[in-house]
Amino acid sequence: MWKAVGIDAWLAARKTSLEDARGTVTGIIGRVKNEGDAALIDLAKKYCTLEHVAVTDEERESAYDEVDAQVVEALIEAHARIERFHERQRPRDLWFEEMEPGVVLGMKSTGLNRVGLYVPGGRAAYPSSALMCAVPAKVAGVKEICACSPPPIKPLTLVALDIAGVTEIYQAGGAQAVAAMALGTESIRPVQKIVGPGNIYVTLAKMMLREHAEIDFPAGPSEIGIIADSTAHPKVVAADVLAQAEHDPNAACILITTDPTLPAKVGKEIEKMVAEAPRKEIIVEALKNSGYTVVKDIDEAIAASDVVAPEHLSIQVADPLMVVTKVQNAGAIFVGRYSAVACGDYAVGTNHCLPTAGYSKMYSGLDVAHFCKTASVEIIDRDGLEAIGDIVETIAEAEGLYAHSQSVKVRRAL
Amino acid sequence: MWKAVGIDAWLAARKTSLEDARGTVTGIIGRVKNEGDAALIDLAKKYCTLEHVAVTDEERESAYDEVDAQVVEALIEAHARIERFHERQRPRDLWFEEMEPGVVLGMKSTGLNRVGLYVPGGRAAYPSSALMCAVPAKVAGVKEICACSPPPIKPLTLVALDIAGVTEIYQAGGAQAVAAMALGTESIRPVQKIVGPGNIYVTLAKMMLREHAEIDFPAGPSEIGIIADSTAHPKVVAADVLAQAEHDPNAACILITTDPTLPAKVGKEIEKMVAEAPRKEIIVEALKNSGYTVVKDIDEAIAASDVVAPEHLSIQVADPLMVVTKVQNAGAIFVGRYSAVACGDYAVGTNHCLPTAGYSKMYSGLDVAHFCKTASVEIIDRDGLEAIGDIVETIAEAEGLYAHSQSVKVRRAL
C-alpha cells in the first residue's frame, strides 16, 4: 500500500469536487432562510431532540462535570500556549509615520464585531478546533464570538469553547449551521465572517454564502508533506504518516526524499504501526491516497513540495532551516525530528486550521489577521498639502476629475 | 438638493443589488470559458478592433509619447509615495520567537505567485487605480502581475501600469476580463487573486468566480462620510462633497455634524460650486443620494459614522485625533482641514481601493497583506517536546486520535 506517486497526480487527487453536495446544500440554505430555528431543530432530529438551539449557561457549566479533570487541565494549558502565540500576531492598533514634512500616514486596525465559528462534531468531539478557531478571534478583539457545533453538542467541545471565552454557543451542524450564521435565525444573529473546518457540505455552504458572510478559506481533508534525507528517522516519518492518515479516509501523505533507501524503511515501519493502530481501517483507506517520491537533491525536493503546497510540511533533513527559508508554499512548517505535527494540532501554540489541497499557495492559515480589518489614516498639514498638491491636481485633471483638483485648490487658497 | 437624511436610510441605499447583472455575467463567463481569446476579441468589437489581447512592449513604450510629460512626472512622483507607504505595511518575511525552552515558533510570509489587476477604463483613464492596484502587489513580492483594462486601452493607463512594473498587460474589460484572469485563455494564464474596482458586472464576475480566483472585496460606487463640528470650514466640506459626487451618479456623501448651522452653510457652498463644476450633471445626480444629519455630540457622530462605515471618512473637528482613536469602521480616515480625500486618491501614498457600502465593517482596503500568505513555523527540540508532550497526548486521546498521541510517544522514546 506504500508506493511511489507522482507529484502532480498526488496534488490532482487532493482537489475535492463540491458539486455532489450542491443540491443538498441549496435545499438546506433555503430551509434555514424560510424556517429559521425550526429548520435547525428539524434537521437535528436525526441525532437528538432539541428544545432550543442556544446552549444555556447551565449547560456550559455542567459540561465540566462530564469531562475528565486531566483533559480540562490539558485544554487550559493548550489554550494558554495558543493564546500566547497568537498575541504575537496581533497587529499594532494604530501606527503613524511622518512620510515627508507635513504628511503623517498610518494604519488603524480593529477587530471585527461579530464572527461565527464552525466546530465539527458528529462522531467525535474536537475541542482542539474549538480553541484554534476561538483564540485568534478573541485576541483580535472580536466582541461577539458565536460558535456552532453539531447536536447533541459534546461536553468536551463545550468546555473548550468556554475556556476560549466564546460568547454564544449553538447546537447546529453541517450546512444548516453555516446558513444560520450567515443569514440569521430567531436565535442566531448573522455574523460577518465564518471560520472553521467542516465536511464538504459545510465547505460548500461557506462558499455559497460568501455574499452574506466572509469565510476563512476552503479546507478539505487533512494532508502532510514530508521532505526527508538520509538523516530522517524512519519511525518518526512513519508515525507522522499514520497520524495524518487516521484523520479521515480522504487524508493523504506524501514523502519527498533524496534518499532512495528511505521509502522502504518507512514502509516497513508503517506496516508495523498500522497493525497496532486503533483507527486501522481509516488509516488503510488514507494510505491509498499516499506515497513517496524520490528526488535528486534538496532543491528538487523543495520545488516538488511547493507544487503540492501541503497543509502540513515536515522537514526531516540535515539542514532544515535552509529549507524553511527556501520553501514557498505550506500551511504550517514543522522543523526537525522532535517537531511532531501533532504538537501543532493541539498545544504548541500555532493554529491547526490550515488551507489544504494546494490552497496554501494563496491562503494563510487561520490567524489574528483573519479577524481584523484596517483603515488607513491620513494627516496632512498646509506644508504637506503644498508638497503634494501639484501632483494631485495634475493627475486628477488628467483623469477628468476636476472637483478633485478643486478640493485641493480650495484648501491651498485658505 | 442638499437635505437631511437618516443614517440607516443612507446606508440601506448604498447596497447595490448585483442581481440584474447575473444573467449577462453568466453568459459572458460561459463565452470566455468556451471561446477564450476569441470571446475577448469579439466582445471588444463594440469599442475597437483588436488583433490580439496582449499589449506588446512597443505599445507600452509608445504610450509615453501620447501622455503629457508633466502627467508622467506626476505619476512617477505619486508612485514613489505610494510605494514608500506600502513598504511600511510589508510583513516580516520570517520571524521566530522562543515561546518556552525548546519551543521556537514563528511565521513565514510569502508573496502570491501570480495576481490579476482590473483597471477600469471605458470613458476615462484611471492611471491612479493602476498604481493603487499594482504597488501593493509589487511590494508584496508577487512575481507575475497581470493587468486587464478595457479596449482600446488608454495610453495614460499603460504608462501608469508600466511605471508600477506590471509584468503583463491585456486589453480586456468588464466581466470578460475577470473571467479571463480567473479561468485563463490562450493568452492569459489564470491568476490566484483578482483585485481592483469595477462596475457591477466586474464586481459580480469577481464574486461568481471566487472558487477559481480569490478577490479583494466587493466594491461599489464611491462615498464619503464627514464628521464635522463648528470648527469645520464650510467650503472645505463642500469641496469634498463635490469631489466625491463627481465620480458617479451613484456616488454618495453624508455629513454628520454636531453644529446645526453647518449644513446650511455647506449647502450654500455646494450650490455655488456645482454651478461651476465641469461634471455638474453627475454631481447633481449623486447629490440626490447625499445629505446631512445633525447629532448631539461627537460620540453620537462617531456612532453614526460607524453605522454607515464610510469608504472615506473626513474628520473636521476641534480634536480630530480623539475621533481617529474611537472610530471603528471606515476605509480611509482623513484628519483635519488640509487632508483632502483627493490626496489619498492620488498621491499621498495610501491606497484608494477601499470597501464601500458599509463593507469597511469587515474588510480592509487594498494593502500589501492582500498579496501575501503566511505559514507558521514550529521548531521543537527534545526539551520542548517533553514540556508539551503530555498535553498533546491527553487531548489527542480525548479526541480519539491515537496515532497523533503515538507520533509524540515515538519521539519521546528516541
Side-chain angles (χ1 to χ4, degrees):
Chain A
M1 59 187 165
W2 183 238
K3 62 194 175 297
V5 289
I7 288 295
D8 294 327
W10 189 87
L11 178 62
R14 304 308 305 141
K15 307 282 178 196
T16 314
S17 169
L18 302 172
E19 285 315 308
D20 290 349
R22 200 172 291 267
T24 307
V25 171
T26 303
I28 291 172
I29 292 173
R31 284 201 61 188
V32 172
K33 200 172 172 177
N34 295 326
E35 302 165 40
D37 283 347
L40 300 181
I41 289 169
D42 190 58
L43 288 162
K45 271 188 187 149
K46 228 169 112 183
Y47 311 100
C48 65
T49 304
L50 286 184
E51 298 278 315
H52 43 79
V53 293
V55 170
T56 64
D57 289 350
E58 293 69 38
E59 287 167 332
R60 260 196 209 222
E61 274 172 45
S62 64
Y64 282 87
D65 303 335
E66 297 175 59
V67 177
D68 188 276
Q70 196 196 341
V71 175
V72 174
E73 192 50 47
L75 288 172
I76 291 171
E77 286 273 355
H79 174 263
R81 284 173 167 82
I82 299 164
E83 189 177 55
R84 186 165 53 189
F85 178 69
H86 285 78
E87 288 281 358
R88 301 297 191 280
Q89 295 179 339
R90 189 156 58 179
R92 282 176 290 177
D93 288 348
L94 183 59
W95 60 266
F96 291 112
E97 192 166 327
E98 189 186 50
M99 304 302 291
E100 59 191 301
V103 174
V104 174
L105 302 179
M107 297 295 289
K108 180 181 163 86
S109 174
T110 317
L112 300 187
N113 185 62
R114 181 173 172 80
V115 304
L117 319 179
Y118 185 79
V119 181
R123 282 166 303 178
Y126 299 105
S128 59
S129 295
L131 298 182
M132 294 297 176
C133 290
V135 170
K138 200 83 188 169
V139 170
V142 176
K143 288 180 208 79
E144 301 174 11
I145 305 174
C146 135
C148 284
S149 194
I153 196 164
K154 305 284 185 299
L156 206 51
T157 303
L158 277 183
V159 166
L161 289 170
D162 189 66
I163 289 169
V166 162
T167 52
E168 301 157 39
I169 307 174
Y170 301 97
Q171 300 202 61
Q176 56 268 35
V178 174
M181 292 192 281
L183 305 170
T185 69
E186 300 90 325
S187 299
I188 310 178
R189 278 173 303 118
V191 301
Q192 296 172 310
K193 191 165 195 170
I194 300 171
V195 308
N199 59 23
I200 62 166
Y201 299 95
V202 169
T203 302
L204 183 61
K206 284 167 69 182
M207 300 293 283
M208 286 177 69
L209 292 165
R210 281 179 91 165
E211 292 181 40
H212 299 274
E214 190 45 87
I215 68 166
D216 41 1
F217 43 80
S222 203
E223 64 199 26
I224 188 173
I226 303 168
I227 297 179
D229 65 12
S230 60
T231 68
H233 198 301
K235 209 168 181 171
V236 163
V237 173
D240 276 356
V241 166
L242 258 74
Q244 212 56 45
E246 78 169 339
H247 269 291
D248 187 324
N250 294 312
C253 316
I254 187 161
L255 168 65
I256 302 166
T257 182
T258 55
D259 176 4
T261 71
L262 186 65
K265 294 175 197 163
V266 170
K268 251 182 222 164
E269 294 294 340
I270 289 175
E271 253 175 70
K272 273 190 269 179
M273 288 180 182
V274 170
E276 294 164 14
R279 293 166 70 87
K280 186 177 167 174
E281 284 168 34
I282 295 169
I283 293 170
V284 168
E285 280 306 305
L287 286 176
K288 293 180 187 165
N289 316 317
S290 305
Y292 58 84
T293 193
V294 178
V295 292
K296 88 172 182 301
D297 57 26
I298 288 290
D299 282 338
E300 204 177 286
I302 294 169
S305 176
D306 277 343
V307 169
V308 303
E311 180 191 18
H312 304 95
L313 173 63
S314 173
I315 306 177
Q316 307 291 333
V317 301
D319 185 2
L321 275 181
M322 185 51 69
V323 178
V324 173
T325 61
K326 287 187 181 175
V327 78
Q328 296 289 305
N329 304 322
I333 306 171
F334 295 82
V335 183
R337 181 165 298 174
Y338 293 99
S339 304
V341 169
C343 294
D345 289 339
Y346 291 117
V348 78
T350 49
N351 209 291
H352 82 197
C353 298
L354 300 167
T356 60
Y359 275 121
S360 65
K361 288 173 189 171
M362 46 192 291
Y363 292 103
S364 308
L366 200 61
D367 61 12
V368 174
H370 274 97
F371 298 98
C372 294
K373 40 88 179 179
T374 57
S376 60
V377 184
E378 291 81 358
I379 309 177
I380 305 168
D381 71 9
R382 187 186 277 276
D383 292 342
L385 189 63
E386 273 313 310
I388 61 170
D390 288 348
I391 305 169
V392 175
E393 292 179 25
T394 300
I395 307 178
E397 288 168 25
E399 290 192 355
L401 294 177
Y402 299 98
H404 279 66
S405 173
Q406 190 61 24
S407 76
V408 172
K409 287 188 167 79
V410 162
R411 288 169 160 93
R412 293 173 90 174
L414 284 181
Chain B
M1 61 190 162
W2 183 237
K3 61 193 175 296
V5 289
I7 289 295
D8 293 329
W10 189 88
L11 178 61
R14 304 309 304 141
K15 307 283 178 196
T16 314
S17 170
L18 302 172
E19 286 315 308
D20 291 349
R22 199 171 292 267
T24 307
V25 171
T26 304
I28 291 172
I29 291 172
R31 284 201 61 188
V32 173
K33 199 171 171 177
N34 295 326
E35 302 165 41
D37 285 346
L40 300 180
I41 289 169
D42 189 58
L43 288 161
K45 271 190 188 149
K46 227 169 111 184
Y47 311 100
C48 66
T49 304
L50 286 184
E51 298 279 314
H52 44 79
V53 293
V55 170
T56 63
D57 288 350
E58 293 70 37
E59 287 166 330
R60 261 196 209 222
E61 274 172 46
S62 64
Y64 282 87
D65 302 336
E66 297 176 57
V67 177
D68 188 276
Q70 198 196 341
V71 175
V72 174
E73 192 49 46
L75 288 172
I76 291 170
E77 286 274 353
H79 174 263
R81 284 173 167 84
I82 298 165
E83 189 176 55
R84 186 165 56 187
F85 179 70
H86 286 79
E87 288 280 359
R88 300 298 190 281
Q89 295 179 339
R90 188 156 59 178
R92 283 175 289 176
D93 288 349
L94 183 60
W95 61 264
F96 291 113
E97 192 166 326
E98 189 186 49
M99 304 302 291
E100 58 191 300
V103 175
V104 173
L105 302 179
M107 298 294 289
K108 180 182 164 85
S109 174
T110 318
L112 300 187
N113 186 60
R114 180 173 172 79
V115 304
L117 318 180
Y118 184 80
V119 182
R123 282 167 302 175
Y126 299 105
S128 58
S129 294
L131 297 182
M132 294 296 176
C133 290
V135 170
K138 200 83 188 169
V139 170
V142 176
K143 287 180 209 81
E144 302 175 9
I145 305 175
C146 136
C148 283
S149 196
I153 197 164
K154 305 284 185 299
L156 206 48
T157 302
L158 276 183
V159 166
L161 289 170
D162 189 65
I163 289 170
V166 162
T167 51
E168 302 157 39
I169 307 174
Y170 301 96
Q171 300 201 61
Q176 56 270 32
V178 174
M181 291 191 281
L183 306 171
T185 69
E186 299 89 327
S187 300
I188 309 178
R189 278 173 304 118
V191 301
Q192 295 173 312
K193 191 165 195 169
I194 300 171
V195 308
N199 60 22
I200 62 167
Y201 299 95
V202 170
T203 302
L204 184 60
K206 283 166 69 181
M207 300 293 285
M208 287 176 70
L209 292 165
R210 280 179 93 165
E211 292 181 40
H212 299 273
E214 190 45 88
I215 67 166
D216 43 0
F217 43 80
S222 203
E223 64 201 25
I224 187 172
I226 303 168
I227 297 178
D229 65 12
S230 59
T231 67
H233 199 302
K235 211 166 180 171
V236 163
V237 173
D240 276 357
V241 166
L242 258 74
Q244 212 57 45
E246 78 170 338
H247 269 292
D248 186 325
N250 295 313
C253 316
I254 187 162
L255 168 66
I256 303 166
T257 181
T258 56
D259 176 4
T261 72
L262 186 65
K265 294 176 198 163
V266 171
K268 250 180 225 168
E269 295 293 342
I270 289 175
E271 252 174 69
K272 272 190 272 181
M273 288 178 181
V274 170
E276 294 163 13
R279 292 166 71 89
K280 188 177 164 175
E281 283 168 35
I282 294 169
I283 293 170
V284 168
E285 281 306 306
L287 286 176
K288 293 180 186 164
N289 317 317
S290 305
Y292 57 86
T293 193
V294 178
V295 293
K296 89 173 181 300
D297 57 26
I298 289 289
D299 282 339
E300 205 178 284
I302 293 169
S305 176
D306 277 343
V307 169
V308 303
E311 181 192 17
H312 305 95
L313 174 63
S314 173
I315 305 177
Q316 306 292 332
V317 301
D319 186 2
L321 275 181
M322 184 51 68
V323 178
V324 173
T325 61
K326 287 187 179 174
V327 79
Q328 296 288 305
N329 305 321
I333 306 171
F334 295 82
V335 183
R337 182 163 298 173
Y338 293 100
S339 304
V341 169
C343 295
D345 289 339
Y346 291 117
V348 77
T350 50
N351 208 290
H352 82 196
C353 298
L354 300 166
T356 60
Y359 276 121
S360 65
K361 289 173 187 170
M362 46 194 290
Y363 293 102
S364 308
L366 200 61
D367 61 13
V368 174
H370 274 98
F371 298 98
C372 296
K373 39 89 179 179
T374 57
S376 61
V377 185
E378 291 81 358
I379 310 177
I380 305 168
D381 71 9
R382 186 185 278 274
D383 292 341
L385 189 64
E386 272 313 310
I388 61 171
D390 288 348
I391 306 169
V392 174
E393 291 180 25
T394 300
I395 307 179
E397 288 169 24
E399 290 191 355
L401 295 176
Y402 299 98
H404 280 66
S405 173
Q406 190 62 23
S407 76
V408 172
K409 286 188 169 79
V410 161
R411 288 168 159 95
R412 291 174 91 174
L414 285 183

